Amino acid sequence: MAQIINFQDLLSIIGEEKDADGSYDFGKMIRKFQASNYEKSGLTHKQFLNKYLPKEIKEEVIKSALITKNLKCDIATSSSNVVMKKLKKNHRNFITIKIDPIGWQQCCYQNSYNTCMYDENYGICKGYQLTVCPCGSVCCLEPHFCNTRTIDGETRYYDFTKDYHKEEYRLFLPIENITDEDETPNSIQFLLTPTIVYGKDKCKCAIDWL
Ligand SMILES: [Zn+2]
């Protein structure tokens, strides 16, 4: 049975965390409380991400990497070659994040969540990874998670998920910036929503888009 604790007990376990305006930072307090269940002594951030990624997920990643290798896939879209005017207006406000590839590829949710467990100063951020085809016409927006930290009142973005094609930078659209989305599905369910793709009709690349 789950143990129910009251607010005063919570404070005595994790201490107070307040925002700059003096109100309680419940997000950070909850992350600290959850993080207290993880063993992290002596582990680097990379070792921690590896240790707490379930074995079944690792197996899936390895399987899918092998399938791709056997298909000899070319890179169809990447974070290079973005042509601003070919992007929908509300997709131009992306953030370029240098990837620190210490977490397993394709595991953005687990890497981001576990990063919060490793260091509760990090928050988790839901959005889309933007890639385009070589001519810049085909735009793909894939559900993605990364991390944030608030430093001097400013939000900074971090990405610890190794890119599938070893790209060094990720173009990220936080979901708040996508104004024509009616729905903002929650957490991991969001990863199952389809990739948004447009511009195939204008593509000049020799790629047979399905
Ligand atoms: Zn193209």
Side-chain angles (χ1 to χ4, degrees):
M1 202 176 12
Q3 195 187 353
I4 297 166
I5 58 167
N6 67 34
F7 188 60
Q8 284 307 321
D9 289 342
L10 186 68
L11 284 184
S12 68
I13 295 168
I14 59 172
E16 288 187 0
E17 289 293 344
K18 293 192 172 180
D19 284 332
D21 67 359
S23 58
Y24 283 112
D25 183 344
F26 287 110
K28 190 169 175 188
M29 288 169 72
I30 289 166
R31 290 196 297 277
K32 270 181 90 173
F33 180 62
Q34 290 170 326
S36 65
N37 293 320
Y38 285 73
E39 177 58 47
K40 53 187 159 185
S41 62
L43 294 179
T44 63
H45 187 176
K46 184 177 182 174
Q47 288 165 337
F48 186 86
L49 295 186
N50 188 49
K51 179 174 177 177
Y52 288 106
L53 186 68
K55 189 168 150 271
E56 303 75 48
I57 295 180
K58 289 178 180 168
E59 285 171 2
E60 284 305 313
V61 173
I62 292 167
K63 262 191 246 163
S64 104
L66 287 173
I67 290 167
T68 311
K69 201 174 161 202
N70 289 339
L71 289 173
K72 292 190 172 58
C73 279
D74 290 326
I75 301 177
T77 64
S78 78
S79 57
S80 315
N81 310 314
V82 168
V83 182
M84 280 295 181
K85 65 178 197 308
K86 293 186 177 181
L87 295 180
K88 288 185 180 173
K89 278 208 177 76
N90 61 339
H91 296 158
R92 292 176 193 173
N93 205 10
F94 57 80
I95 294 156
T96 303
I97 311 173
K98 184 161 176 34
I99 300 168
D100 183 2
I102 58 172
W104 281 60
Q105 65 187 34
Q106 291 174 289
C107 298
C108 63
Y109 180 77
Q110 288 80 9
N111 292 334
S112 302
Y113 180 83
N114 287 348
T115 289
C116 297
M117 295 303 104
Y118 182 72
D119 181 345
E120 53 275 6
N121 290 309
Y122 285 103
I124 187 164
C125 184
K126 179 171 68 178
Y128 291 94
Q129 168 178 352
L130 169 73
T131 55
V132 301
C133 69
C135 82
S137 296
V138 177
C139 305
C140 297
L141 294 164
E142 217 179 312
H144 186 69
F145 283 87
C146 67
N147 290 106
T148 54
R149 264 184 102 147
T150 307
I151 296 172
D152 298 331
E154 186 194 311
T155 304
R156 300 200 190 166
Y157 292 84
Y158 302 84
D159 201 322
F160 300 106
T161 302
K162 183 181 170 186
D163 184 72
Y164 202 68
H165 298 296
K166 298 192 177 72
E167 292 206 72
E168 289 181 25
Y169 291 88
R170 191 163 276 127
L171 311 181
F172 182 71
L173 270 157
I175 207 134
E176 297 80 16
N177 290 357
I178 305 199
T179 50
D180 69 353
E181 287 287 311
D182 305 331
E183 278 181 64
T184 51
N186 284 319
S187 69
I188 204 153
Q189 277 298 100
F190 172 64
L191 288 176
L192 305 174
T193 60
T195 298
I196 300 165
V197 185
Y198 57 89
K200 286 177 185 172
D201 50 328
K202 298 188 185 78
C203 179
K204 307 244 178 342
C205 306
I207 295 169
D208 202 2
W209 297 105
L210 296 172

